[in-house]
Amino acid sequence: MAAADPAGGDVTGSSTQRPGTPPPETAAPHSAPAHAGLRERKKQRTRMALIDAALDLFLAQGYEETTIDEIAAAVQVSQRTFFRYFAAKEDVIFGYVTEYDRLLVEELAARPARERPFTALFEALRGLLRAIAEGDPADAARFRRVLRVVEATPALAAAQMARFTATEETLAAAIARRQGVDPARDIRPRLLVAFFTGATRVAFGQCARQELWDPAAVAARVDEIVAVAHDDLRGWI
């Protein structure tokens, strides 16, 4: 009897070899990786379809008012399928945003060692925003819609602050490694990162209030805010 494959389709429940097929040890060496790659692509398509459907519903009727059943129904999958990809409704938002956090850390690690720490952080963020703006239009559209949903939902905005704390810890550890200091003894990496993320939150907040959701517009506003922080606040400290 056939059993459902989590990635879609059926898999056989019997190990009986079909006539005319090679035994497993002599099967085409690339068939299993090809099948696995196809399954991963299908899973990724399902995940993105759930994210897009959820964002559409959040913007149309509100985050709090949208149920998981409605999101699953919009993609014509079961609630069980939804929970294969997301542990909770807010993970539709923050699971996607966390990927940007990971890319930011990668951008920071790729910055030249000679750069000053604040410059490296700023250029890493600028590189990430540029990649979003110049990349897949669908990704840029999701980025805009995620910002709109978070800004419109107090519960998500509060959760976003908690997420910032975790991200700051990761960035502070990366800065400490760059500078060759112990973050448990040297407070400077945490102070620097807190200053940087504070400046970027001000920039993102201004964009939200002016309804500037395009990644390129956000990047330009971040440039302006960071320039003020870098050039004009020295006399205030």
Side-chain angles (χ1 to χ4, degrees):
M1 181 174 68
D5 182 345
D10 292 330
V11 294
T12 181
S14 169
S15 59
T16 302
Q17 184 180 331
R18 294 180 181 179
T21 59
E25 63 270 16
T26 61
H30 298 299
S31 60
H35 178 71
L38 178 63
R39 180 160 52 187
E40 286 304 311
R41 288 194 297 273
K42 185 171 183 178
K43 287 169 64 177
Q44 180 64 7
R45 285 196 300 270
T46 301
R47 180 176 180 272
M48 299 314 296
L50 286 166
I51 290 173
D52 288 338
L55 291 172
D56 286 343
L57 288 166
F58 294 160
L59 291 170
Q61 62 190 32
Y63 172 82
E64 300 290 356
E65 292 75 17
T66 299
T67 67
I68 289 173
D69 282 338
E70 288 176 316
I71 298 170
V75 186
Q76 298 183 328
V77 299
S78 67
Q79 186 186 87
R80 181 179 177 184
T81 296
F82 176 92
F83 284 118
R84 288 196 190 115
Y85 295 90
F86 307 103
K89 188 168 67 171
E90 75 173 27
D91 289 343
V92 176
I93 296 292
F94 293 122
Y96 183 72
V97 172
T98 297
E99 179 67 11
Y100 286 131
D101 291 343
R102 184 186 67 79
L103 293 173
L104 177 62
V105 173
E106 289 183 1
E107 289 277 350
L108 176 60
R111 298 306 306 169
R114 66 180 181 276
E115 278 185 341
R116 294 169 68 90
F118 188 85
T119 300
L121 282 165
F122 173 53
E123 292 298 336
L125 178 61
R126 179 189 285 179
L128 173 60
L129 291 171
R130 184 186 304 117
I132 297 170
E134 298 175 357
D136 186 345
D139 282 336
R142 290 185 192 102
F143 178 83
R144 291 193 294 270
R145 291 191 292 167
V146 164
L147 292 182
R148 290 173 59 196
V149 170
V150 172
E151 180 63 22
T153 311
L156 291 178
Q160 177 89 315
M161 295 303 296
R163 191 184 63 81
F164 274 136
T165 299
T167 302
E168 285 177 354
E169 286 295 313
T170 302
L171 292 174
I175 291 296
R177 287 193 297 271
R178 286 178 63 93
Q179 299 304 110
V181 300
D182 181 359
R185 296 176 178 273
D186 194 324
I187 197 64
R188 288 176 296 176
R190 283 189 173 85
L191 281 175
L192 179 72
V193 169
F195 181 70
F196 168 77
T197 56
T200 57
R201 282 201 296 271
V202 169
F204 274 77
Q206 283 196 348
C207 288
R209 285 190 293 274
Q210 298 174 23
E211 297 191 354
L212 297 173
W213 309 112
D214 186 77
V218 173
R221 187 53 49 89
V222 169
D223 279 357
E224 294 171 9
I225 296 297
V226 171
V228 170
H230 185 270
D231 298 332
D232 296 342
L233 286 183
R234 293 179 182 180
W236 288 40
I237 300 174

mmCIF file of all heavy atoms in Angstrom, residues 204-233:
data_model
loop_
_atom_site.group_PDB
_atom_site.id
_atom_site.type_symbol
_atom_site.label_atom_id
_atom_site.label_comp_id
_atom_site.label_asym_id
_atom_site.label_seq_id
_atom_site.Cartn_x
_atom_site.Cartn_y
_atom_site.Cartn_z
ATOM 1 N N PHE A 204 14.510 52.396 10.154
ATOM 2 C CA PHE A 204 13.376 51.570 9.747
ATOM 3 C C PHE A 204 12.067 52.167 10.269
ATOM 4 O O PHE A 204 11.040 52.117 9.587
ATOM 5 C CB PHE A 204 13.549 50.140 10.254
ATOM 6 C CG PHE A 204 14.365 49.261 9.347
ATOM 7 C CD1 PHE A 204 15.743 49.372 9.315
ATOM 8 C CD2 PHE A 204 13.759 48.340 8.523
ATOM 9 C CE1 PHE A 204 16.507 48.567 8.481
ATOM 10 C CE2 PHE A 204 14.509 47.531 7.682
ATOM 11 C CZ PHE A 204 15.884 47.644 7.651
ATOM 12 N N GLY A 205 12.105 52.732 11.472
ATOM 13 C CA GLY A 205 10.908 53.357 12.020
ATOM 14 C C GLY A 205 10.467 54.551 11.198
ATOM 15 O O GLY A 205 9.264 54.746 10.952
ATOM 16 N N GLN A 206 11.417 55.373 10.775
ATOM 17 C CA GLN A 206 11.081 56.514 9.923
ATOM 18 C C GLN A 206 10.490 56.049 8.594
ATOM 19 O O GLN A 206 9.523 56.636 8.093
ATOM 20 C CB GLN A 206 12.321 57.372 9.673
ATOM 21 C CG GLN A 206 12.699 58.263 10.836
ATOM 22 C CD GLN A 206 13.662 59.353 10.390
ATOM 23 O OE1 GLN A 206 14.215 59.314 9.298
ATOM 24 N NE2 GLN A 206 13.866 60.336 11.253
ATOM 25 N N CYS A 207 11.057 55.002 8.028
ATOM 26 C CA CYS A 207 10.526 54.468 6.772
ATOM 27 C C CYS A 207 9.093 53.999 6.954
ATOM 28 O O CYS A 207 8.231 54.244 6.102
ATOM 29 C CB CYS A 207 11.400 53.317 6.279
ATOM 30 S SG CYS A 207 13.011 53.832 5.644
ATOM 31 N N ALA A 208 8.824 53.329 8.068
ATOM 32 C CA ALA A 208 7.470 52.824 8.311
ATOM 33 C C ALA A 208 6.482 53.975 8.445
ATOM 34 O O ALA A 208 5.375 53.928 7.885
ATOM 35 C CB ALA A 208 7.458 51.963 9.570
ATOM 36 N N ARG A 209 6.868 55.007 9.186
ATOM 37 C CA ARG A 209 5.954 56.141 9.374
ATOM 38 C C ARG A 209 5.666 56.857 8.061
ATOM 39 O O ARG A 209 4.592 57.420 7.872
ATOM 40 C CB ARG A 209 6.537 57.112 10.398
ATOM 41 C CG ARG A 209 6.433 56.613 11.833
ATOM 42 C CD ARG A 209 6.792 57.695 12.826
ATOM 43 N NE ARG A 209 8.192 58.076 12.754
ATOM 44 C CZ ARG A 209 9.173 57.444 13.406
ATOM 45 N NH1 ARG A 209 8.891 56.392 14.162
ATOM 46 N NH2 ARG A 209 10.413 57.841 13.309
ATOM 47 N N GLN A 210 6.632 56.854 7.156
ATOM 48 C CA GLN A 210 6.439 57.503 5.858
ATOM 49 C C GLN A 210 5.992 56.514 4.783
ATOM 50 O O GLN A 210 5.908 56.868 3.614
ATOM 51 C CB GLN A 210 7.747 58.184 5.427
ATOM 52 C CG GLN A 210 8.185 59.286 6.376
ATOM 53 C CD GLN A 210 9.552 59.847 6.018
ATOM 54 O OE1 GLN A 210 9.987 59.748 4.881
ATOM 55 N NE2 GLN A 210 10.220 60.437 6.985
ATOM 56 N N GLU A 211 5.739 55.265 5.218
ATOM 57 C CA GLU A 211 5.305 54.210 4.302
ATOM 58 C C GLU A 211 6.285 54.013 3.146
ATOM 59 O O GLU A 211 5.900 53.870 1.984
ATOM 60 C CB GLU A 211 3.884 54.470 3.799
ATOM 61 C CG GLU A 211 2.848 54.456 4.921
ATOM 62 C CD GLU A 211 1.421 54.437 4.413
ATOM 63 O OE1 GLU A 211 1.218 54.540 3.190
ATOM 64 O OE2 GLU A 211 0.513 54.302 5.260
ATOM 65 N N LEU A 212 7.554 54.007 3.486
ATOM 66 C CA LEU A 212 8.611 53.683 2.527
ATOM 67 C C LEU A 212 8.997 52.231 2.764
ATOM 68 O O LEU A 212 9.698 51.918 3.724
ATOM 69 C CB LEU A 212 9.825 54.602 2.722
ATOM 70 C CG LEU A 212 9.609 56.091 2.486
ATOM 71 C CD1 LEU A 212 10.857 56.873 2.876
ATOM 72 C CD2 LEU A 212 9.248 56.354 1.034
ATOM 73 N N TRP A 213 8.527 51.348 1.892
ATOM 74 C CA TRP A 213 8.758 49.923 2.102
ATOM 75 C C TRP A 213 9.765 49.336 1.118
ATOM 76 O O TRP A 213 10.191 48.200 1.276
ATOM 77 C CB TRP A 213 7.439 49.160 1.970
ATOM 78 C CG TRP A 213 6.336 49.729 2.799
ATOM 79 C CD1 TRP A 213 5.213 50.359 2.343
ATOM 80 C CD2 TRP A 213 6.235 49.759 4.228
ATOM 81 N NE1 TRP A 213 4.429 50.752 3.395
ATOM 82 C CE2 TRP A 213 5.023 50.403 4.562
ATOM 83 C CE3 TRP A 213 7.051 49.303 5.263
ATOM 84 C CZ2 TRP A 213 4.603 50.596 5.875
ATOM 85 C CZ3 TRP A 213 6.638 49.490 6.568
ATOM 86 C CH2 TRP A 213 5.425 50.130 6.871
ATOM 87 N N ASP A 214 10.130 50.071 0.100
ATOM 88 C CA ASP A 214 11.047 49.541 -0.902
ATOM 89 C C ASP A 214 12.446 49.378 -0.305
ATOM 90 O O ASP A 214 12.941 50.278 0.379
ATOM 91 C CB ASP A 214 11.113 50.489 -2.108
ATOM 92 C CG ASP A 214 11.948 49.904 -3.225
ATOM 93 O OD1 ASP A 214 11.447 49.015 -3.928
ATOM 94 O OD2 ASP A 214 13.109 50.331 -3.369
ATOM 95 N N PRO A 215 13.119 48.237 -0.525
ATOM 96 C CA PRO A 215 14.448 48.022 0.040
ATOM 97 C C PRO A 215 15.450 49.126 -0.307
ATOM 98 O O PRO A 215 16.276 49.502 0.523
ATOM 99 C CB PRO A 215 14.881 46.677 -0.540
ATOM 100 C CG PRO A 215 13.605 45.976 -0.846
ATOM 101 C CD PRO A 215 12.638 47.053 -1.247
ATOM 102 N N ALA A 216 15.394 49.638 -1.531
ATOM 103 C CA ALA A 216 16.323 50.706 -1.920
ATOM 104 C C ALA A 216 16.051 51.973 -1.114
ATOM 105 O O ALA A 216 16.993 52.667 -0.687
ATOM 106 C CB ALA A 216 16.203 50.996 -3.414
ATOM 107 N N ALA A 217 14.773 52.303 -0.882
ATOM 108 C CA ALA A 217 14.425 53.483 -0.086
ATOM 109 C C ALA A 217 14.853 53.293 1.356
ATOM 110 O O ALA A 217 15.354 54.222 2.007
ATOM 111 C CB ALA A 217 12.919 53.738 -0.171
ATOM 112 N N VAL A 218 14.667 52.082 1.886
ATOM 113 C CA VAL A 218 15.106 51.793 3.252
ATOM 114 C C VAL A 218 16.618 51.937 3.360
ATOM 115 O O VAL A 218 17.140 52.523 4.318
ATOM 116 C CB VAL A 218 14.668 50.370 3.668
ATOM 117 C CG1 VAL A 218 15.267 50.002 5.024
ATOM 118 C CG2 VAL A 218 13.145 50.272 3.731
ATOM 119 N N ALA A 219 17.336 51.422 2.356
ATOM 120 C CA ALA A 219 18.800 51.523 2.379
ATOM 121 C C ALA A 219 19.248 52.981 2.370
ATOM 122 O O ALA A 219 20.182 53.363 3.091
ATOM 123 C CB ALA A 219 19.386 50.783 1.174
ATOM 124 N N ALA A 220 18.580 53.819 1.567
ATOM 125 C CA ALA A 220 18.942 55.242 1.514
ATOM 126 C C ALA A 220 18.695 55.915 2.859
ATOM 127 O O ALA A 220 19.501 56.735 3.310
ATOM 128 C CB ALA A 220 18.142 55.938 0.416
ATOM 129 N N ARG A 221 17.586 55.575 3.507
ATOM 130 C CA ARG A 221 17.291 56.182 4.800
ATOM 131 C C ARG A 221 18.267 55.701 5.882
ATOM 132 O O ARG A 221 18.694 56.481 6.744
ATOM 133 C CB ARG A 221 15.851 55.867 5.200
ATOM 134 C CG ARG A 221 15.368 56.589 6.467
ATOM 135 C CD ARG A 221 15.587 58.113 6.383
ATOM 136 N NE ARG A 221 15.096 58.684 5.144
ATOM 137 C CZ ARG A 221 13.851 59.128 4.986
ATOM 138 N NH1 ARG A 221 12.985 59.059 5.978
ATOM 139 N NH2 ARG A 221 13.481 59.655 3.834
ATOM 140 N N VAL A 222 18.646 54.438 5.808
ATOM 141 C CA VAL A 222 19.668 53.938 6.734
ATOM 142 C C VAL A 222 20.969 54.701 6.534
ATOM 143 O O VAL A 222 21.641 55.077 7.508
ATOM 144 C CB VAL A 222 19.890 52.424 6.535
ATOM 145 C CG1 VAL A 222 21.127 51.949 7.287
ATOM 146 C CG2 VAL A 222 18.668 51.634 7.014
ATOM 147 N N ASP A 223 21.344 54.945 5.276
ATOM 148 C CA ASP A 223 22.541 55.744 4.990
ATOM 149 C C ASP A 223 22.479 57.098 5.697
ATOM 150 O O ASP A 223 23.445 57.532 6.331
ATOM 151 C CB ASP A 223 22.680 55.983 3.486
ATOM 152 C CG ASP A 223 23.299 54.794 2.761
ATOM 153 O OD1 ASP A 223 23.665 53.825 3.427
ATOM 154 O OD2 ASP A 223 23.419 54.868 1.533
ATOM 155 N N GLU A 224 21.336 57.766 5.586
ATOM 156 C CA GLU A 224 21.184 59.102 6.174
ATOM 157 C C GLU A 224 21.297 59.064 7.692
ATOM 158 O O GLU A 224 22.003 59.885 8.303
ATOM 159 C CB GLU A 224 19.821 59.684 5.772
ATOM 160 C CG GLU A 224 19.671 59.965 4.283
ATOM 161 C CD GLU A 224 18.246 60.327 3.915
ATOM 162 O OE1 GLU A 224 17.424 60.515 4.848
ATOM 163 O OE2 GLU A 224 17.942 60.420 2.709
ATOM 164 N N ILE A 225 20.602 58.118 8.314
ATOM 165 C CA ILE A 225 20.597 58.032 9.782
ATOM 166 C C ILE A 225 21.979 57.678 10.305
ATOM 167 O O ILE A 225 22.462 58.261 11.294
ATOM 168 C CB ILE A 225 19.564 57.003 10.258
ATOM 169 C CG1 ILE A 225 18.145 57.444 9.869
ATOM 170 C CG2 ILE A 225 19.656 56.796 11.758
ATOM 171 C CD1 ILE A 225 17.696 58.735 10.502
ATOM 172 N N VAL A 226 22.632 56.728 9.659
ATOM 173 C CA VAL A 226 23.964 56.326 10.116
ATOM 174 C C VAL A 226 24.959 57.468 9.932
ATOM 175 O O VAL A 226 25.844 57.676 10.759
ATOM 176 C CB VAL A 226 24.430 55.050 9.381
ATOM 177 C CG1 VAL A 226 25.894 54.754 9.674
ATOM 178 C CG2 VAL A 226 23.565 53.868 9.811
ATOM 179 N N ALA A 227 24.820 58.250 8.855
ATOM 180 C CA ALA A 227 25.693 59.406 8.657
ATOM 181 C C ALA A 227 25.519 60.417 9.782
ATOM 182 O O ALA A 227 26.500 60.977 10.295
ATOM 183 C CB ALA A 227 25.405 60.055 7.304
ATOM 184 N N VAL A 228 24.269 60.655 10.188
ATOM 185 C CA VAL A 228 24.024 61.565 11.316
ATOM 186 C C VAL A 228 24.658 61.013 12.585
ATOM 187 O O VAL A 228 25.328 61.742 13.347
ATOM 188 C CB VAL A 228 22.504 61.768 11.520
ATOM 189 C CG1 VAL A 228 22.226 62.499 12.833
ATOM 190 C CG2 VAL A 228 21.915 62.556 10.358
ATOM 191 N N ALA A 229 24.457 59.721 12.824
ATOM 192 C CA ALA A 229 25.024 59.107 14.024
ATOM 193 C C ALA A 229 26.546 59.199 14.023
ATOM 194 O O ALA A 229 27.166 59.467 15.059
ATOM 195 C CB ALA A 229 24.592 57.641 14.104
ATOM 196 N N HIS A 230 27.142 59.008 12.855
ATOM 197 C CA HIS A 230 28.599 58.997 12.758
ATOM 198 C C HIS A 230 29.202 60.399 12.843
ATOM 199 O O HIS A 230 30.223 60.616 13.500
ATOM 200 C CB HIS A 230 29.011 58.331 11.444
ATOM 201 C CG HIS A 230 30.488 58.162 11.279
ATOM 202 N ND1 HIS A 230 31.280 59.124 10.689
ATOM 203 C CD2 HIS A 230 31.311 57.156 11.642
ATOM 204 C CE1 HIS A 230 32.537 58.708 10.687
ATOM 205 N NE2 HIS A 230 32.580 57.514 11.251
ATOM 206 N N ASP A 231 28.549 61.375 12.195
ATOM 207 C CA ASP A 231 29.164 62.693 12.041
ATOM 208 C C ASP A 231 28.688 63.734 13.056
ATOM 209 O O ASP A 231 29.449 64.621 13.430
ATOM 210 C CB ASP A 231 28.882 63.231 10.632
ATOM 211 C CG ASP A 231 29.476 62.339 9.542
ATOM 212 O OD1 ASP A 231 30.488 61.668 9.832
ATOM 213 O OD2 ASP A 231 28.921 62.309 8.442
ATOM 214 N N ASP A 232 27.432 63.623 13.484
ATOM 215 C CA ASP A 232 26.854 64.739 14.250
ATOM 216 C C ASP A 232 26.654 64.460 15.738
ATOM 217 O O ASP A 232 26.386 65.403 16.498
ATOM 218 C CB ASP A 232 25.489 65.110 13.650
ATOM 219 C CG ASP A 232 25.629 65.634 12.222
ATOM 220 O OD1 ASP A 232 26.743 66.017 11.846
ATOM 221 O OD2 ASP A 232 24.622 65.641 11.494
ATOM 222 N N LEU A 233 26.780 63.201 16.168
ATOM 223 C CA LEU A 233 26.520 62.909 17.576
ATOM 224 C C LEU A 233 27.765 62.978 18.440
ATOM 225 O O LEU A 233 27.671 62.896 19.665
ATOM 226 C CB LEU A 233 25.887 61.529 17.722
ATOM 227 C CG LEU A 233 24.422 61.408 17.299
ATOM 228 C CD1 LEU A 233 23.919 59.993 17.583
ATOM 229 C CD2 LEU A 233 23.552 62.423 18.038
#
